[in-house]
Amino acid sequence: MDAVTGATTAWAVHASNRVYALAVSGTTVYIGGDFTVVRGRCGFQTRYHVAALDATTGCVTAWNPGGQGGVTSVYALAVSGPTVFVGGNFSTLGGEARSHLAAVDSATGQAEDWDPRGNGNVFALGVSGNAVFAGGTFTGMGGEPRNYLAALDAITGRPLPWNPDPNSSVWCLAADGARVYAGGYFSSIGGQAREYLAALDATTGQATAFDAGDVLSLHEVFIWALAASGPTLYVGGYFFYIGGQSRSNLAALDATTGEATAWNPRAGYQVHALAVSGNTVYVGGTFPWIGSQTRNYIAAVDATTGLATDWDPNADQTVLALAVSGSTVYAGGYFTRIGGQDRSHVAALDAATGLATDWDPQANGMVNALAIGGPAVYAGGRFTSVGGQPRDRIAALDVTTGRATAWNPGADGEVRTLAVGDVMVYAGGDFRSMGNLPQSYIAAIGDVSTPTLLSLVDAQAAPDRVRLRWFAAGGPVLATVYRRTVDTAWQAQGQVSEDGTGHIVFEDAHVRAGLRYGYRLGVLQAGQEAFMGEVWVDVPRAHELALAGARPNPVLSDLTVAFSLPDGQPARLELMDLAGRRIIARDLGALGAGSHVVNLGPSRELAPGVYLLRLTQGARSLVTRAAVMR
């Protein structure tokens, strides 16, 4: 339509079904949708859900990434230079396997190497500088967890390597060294079907053979609390059946198999918190009785008999979190009074008497989770202030003073559970980011540790990649590689990995030949990211598919042709007359990458005149003219 008057112009194209996406570049209009046929001014053309139209005539061009099908719907298009980015619901595009998102050459329609491998529909695309932004229903992109929104080719956000990828919320965690137990509302986690409860390998994040089977409740099942103790996993929540046995809201399961043991305290209502010390299981929740005794929200139960002990702090509201360290029991929840003292959502109780100590961080919101790690009590919940400092839903509190330490990852959603490993703090909840980085429901965070010392060993550059290697004093670390050019800002590229020789490595396969890149490492220290020294690498130029033509031109004797190949894939050089008849053909793939000159024979065997030289490799063809003279 005319941009001034709104009147419809003569340009008219008819698609056989919905058009969802439009993009204009120069004299070309790109369209995407549900159509399979497009009728332009020059007639009908079969185009599976994506097509290019001449902006002047309305004719359908030869550009055809949809090929013979395999594309269900195209919802988004964006053009940047010679590349058309395509998003939608498809598994192939441009002659290659591409899942939901692809980059297609605007001249040939062939898919480029760029391949983020999205796991769900892409509905929106935008290009800014060297970043492609995608939005949709996906939860993974580029082999990394990305929920509904991602930036690609200049990845922002840093998921950690440990990634069980649950399909819904995680509410509680417990770690025993080799395994991390998780409870929540998921039905899949660690690559396996597991409803509500699972055991995960602490190194790989994959689900183990542990399986509690069907977990049943009168209404909705909740697994609120876990505590690992030797061969036993204690489980609290809202259920009446777990591990193959009837159990009222509290159970002990075999830590390897998931089967219920004989221990059975029968809690009167929901159990939200568990902590084990010696032969005592501390229990918090909304129950009015447990272990055959009246107890308000908090109790201690004998690990052998299942009976409640005399310990009775008598909270005024629900207790959601417990942790034990020596002679102290830490409690968190809704309460404002516990152990005979006013305490705002978090308190320390004497393990012998049940009375509150002087430790008083005063959280301004509910505390869901507590875990002990060295000199700190880690707390998670809904609070935004605790220990005298602003802290978004997660904090580390000094075990002596109750003051918040410098550790401060910050979560954008409620933290429901915490577990401390040797070098990591594991968190689960309703968050989608932790430390301003994408993390869905479950995260691993560096704890308060000594500074990491890293030194670059070497950097190697090839036309299509850069490989960097560092030595980490003190063993493996979790580190993010950041990259920039002389004209761009630092952007995260991904995580380092171990190479089996005591070094950490990173390979960047998204570089451009001839450019200079700077790299640096970001390492979590005390919950904050610290940056190590940078290094700059020059990427050598690559050989490209190019056809220089006849040398000399016009041709006076032998017909010699100069060209270059990017690799050793099959290629062909052809000489044709102006009618398109092939006169000479030569296979070139065996020559490999590089610049070459071949002799097609004496020109005296050719009639004087103008000929066409065509160089073809894969889906790309280059054509130039050669004149033969006598």
Side-chain angles (χ1 to χ4, degrees):
M1 290 164 282
D2 188 287
V4 177
T5 67
T8 302
T9 71
W11 192 86
V13 176
H14 302 269
S16 63
N17 210 325
R18 298 180 184 89
V19 173
Y20 294 118
L22 291 167
V24 181
S25 179
T27 60
T28 303
V29 178
Y30 298 94
I31 65 172
D34 288 336
F35 53 82
T36 57
V37 175
V38 180
R39 189 185 77 189
R41 185 173 178 179
C42 303
F44 290 93
Q45 295 291 338
T46 299
R47 292 290 183 269
Y48 287 98
H49 310 293
V50 61
L53 312 167
D54 188 288
T56 303
T57 65
C59 292
V60 181
T61 75
W63 190 78
N64 185 21
Q68 299 302 311
V71 183
T72 304
S73 294
V74 169
Y75 298 120
L77 294 166
V79 183
S80 179
T83 301
V84 181
F85 295 97
V86 184
N89 180 17
F90 50 80
S91 57
T92 64
L93 195 73
E96 301 289 344
R98 293 292 184 268
S99 179
H100 302 286
L101 183 57
V104 178
D105 188 289
S106 62
T108 66
Q110 294 297 304
E112 298 179 357
D113 291 337
W114 192 81
D115 184 15
R117 304 183 308 280
N119 69 353
N121 291 346
V122 172
F123 292 121
L125 287 172
V127 181
S128 178
N130 64 346
V132 179
F133 296 91
T137 58
F138 53 83
T139 57
M141 189 69 71
E144 305 286 349
R146 293 293 183 273
N147 283 290
Y148 315 122
L149 181 63
L152 304 161
D153 196 30
I155 301 171
T156 58
R158 175 176 51 90
L160 295 165
W162 189 79
N163 183 27
D165 195 25
N167 65 348
S168 192
S169 297
V170 173
W171 294 331
C172 53
L173 292 170
D176 69 356
R179 289 165 293 197
V180 176
Y181 299 93
Y185 204 60
F186 50 80
S187 59
S188 173
I189 189 170
Q192 299 292 329
R194 293 287 188 272
E195 285 201 323
Y196 309 114
L197 184 61
L200 308 167
D201 187 284
T203 302
T204 67
Q206 295 297 301
T208 72
F210 174 95
D211 190 351
D214 292 333
V215 184
L216 305 176
S217 170
L218 292 174
H219 300 290
E220 193 169 13
V221 171
F222 293 103
I223 302 294
W224 294 123
L226 299 172
S229 179
T232 303
L233 177 70
Y234 294 94
V235 183
Y238 183 50
F239 51 80
F240 68 78
Y241 188 87
I242 192 172
Q245 300 291 331
S246 296
R247 294 291 183 268
S248 296
N249 308 311
L250 180 59
L253 306 179
D254 184 288
T256 302
T257 66
E259 296 177 354
T261 71
W263 190 78
N264 189 15
R266 292 187 293 274
Y269 199 48
Q270 296 187 33
V271 170
H272 289 273
L274 292 169
V276 181
S277 179
N279 199 48
T280 302
V281 181
Y282 294 95
V283 187
T286 55
F287 49 83
W289 52 264
I290 189 173
S292 302
Q293 297 291 329
T294 299
R295 291 290 184 270
N296 290 314
Y297 308 112
I298 186 169
V301 177
D302 188 286
T304 302
T305 66
L307 298 176
T309 70
D310 294 336
W311 192 79
D312 187 10
N314 192 28
D316 67 343
Q317 291 189 66
T318 302
V319 172
L320 298 172
L322 292 168
V324 182
S325 179
S327 61
T328 304
V329 179
Y330 297 92
Y334 282 112
F335 57 81
T336 57
R337 187 171 178 83
I338 191 172
Q341 299 291 329
D342 292 336
R343 291 291 183 267
S344 180
H345 306 296
V346 62
L349 307 170
D350 188 286
T353 66
L355 298 177
T357 73
D358 293 337
W359 192 82
D360 187 13
Q362 298 180 6
N364 71 344
M366 183 175 66
V367 172
N368 290 327
L370 294 168
I372 308 295
V377 178
Y378 295 93
R382 293 182 186 171
F383 53 81
T384 56
S385 174
V386 67
Q389 298 292 328
R391 292 291 184 267
D392 286 331
R393 304 170 187 87
I394 187 169
L397 307 171
D398 188 281
V399 294
T400 303
T401 67
R403 301 288 296 177
T405 73
W407 190 82
N408 183 23
D412 71 343
E414 189 170 348
V415 175
R416 295 183 177 271
T417 183
L418 293 168
V420 179
D422 292 337
V423 296
M424 303 298 295
V425 177
Y426 299 93
D430 296 332
F431 52 84
R432 293 300 181 89
S433 78
M434 182 73 70
N436 294 319
L437 303 172
Q439 294 283 265
S440 295
Y441 308 123
I442 190 166
I445 313 154
D447 66 2
V448 179
S449 58
T450 57
T452 302
L453 298 177
L454 295 168
S455 57
L456 182 72
V457 176
D458 56 52
Q460 302 174 13
D464 62 342
R465 65 193 60 242
V466 171
R467 189 176 190 271
L468 303 109
R469 189 161 59 109
W470 295 267
F471 172 73
V477 297
L478 291 167
T480 302
V481 179
Y482 288 80
R483 188 186 78 184
R484 61 164 294 186
T485 67
V486 293
D487 300 319
T488 61
W490 290 107
Q491 293 178 316
Q493 300 299 302
Q495 291 289 132
V496 296
S497 60
E498 298 176 48
D499 68 353
T501 66
H503 296 87
I504 57 174
V505 298
F506 179 78
E507 189 168 282
D508 185 2
H510 300 284
V511 298
R512 291 187 179 181
L515 291 187
R516 192 167 190 251
Y517 293 94
Y519 295 89
R520 70 178 183 181
L521 287 178
V523 183
L524 275 180
Q525 293 183 175
Q528 301 294 313
E529 192 168 38
F531 296 104
M532 304 298 163
E534 63 189 65
V535 60
W536 286 83
V537 179
D538 291 308
V539 179
R541 291 191 178 277
H543 292 291
E544 299 179 350
L545 185 70
L547 179 58
R551 293 292 185 267
N553 191 16
V555 180
L556 299 175
S557 56
D558 286 357
L559 175 57
T560 58
V561 182
F563 60 93
S564 65
L565 299 175
D567 52 44
Q569 296 298 313
R572 171 168 287 200
L573 180 63
E574 299 167 292
L575 179 72
M576 301 175 293
D577 64 19
L578 293 180
R581 293 183 292 260
R582 187 170 61 193
I583 300 170
I584 300 173
R586 181 76 59 84
D587 290 328
L588 308 170
L591 296 176
S595 298
H596 306 284
V597 176
V598 298
N599 190 330
L600 295 182
S603 64
R604 64 176 178 271
E605 297 181 5
L606 302 172
V610 177
Y611 294 80
L612 298 177
L613 286 165
R614 181 168 66 187
L615 175 65
T616 302
Q617 187 179 47
R620 295 193 61 193
S621 291
L622 303 174
V623 178
T624 190
R625 297 188 179 205
V628 174
M629 297 182 65
R630 288 286 183 265

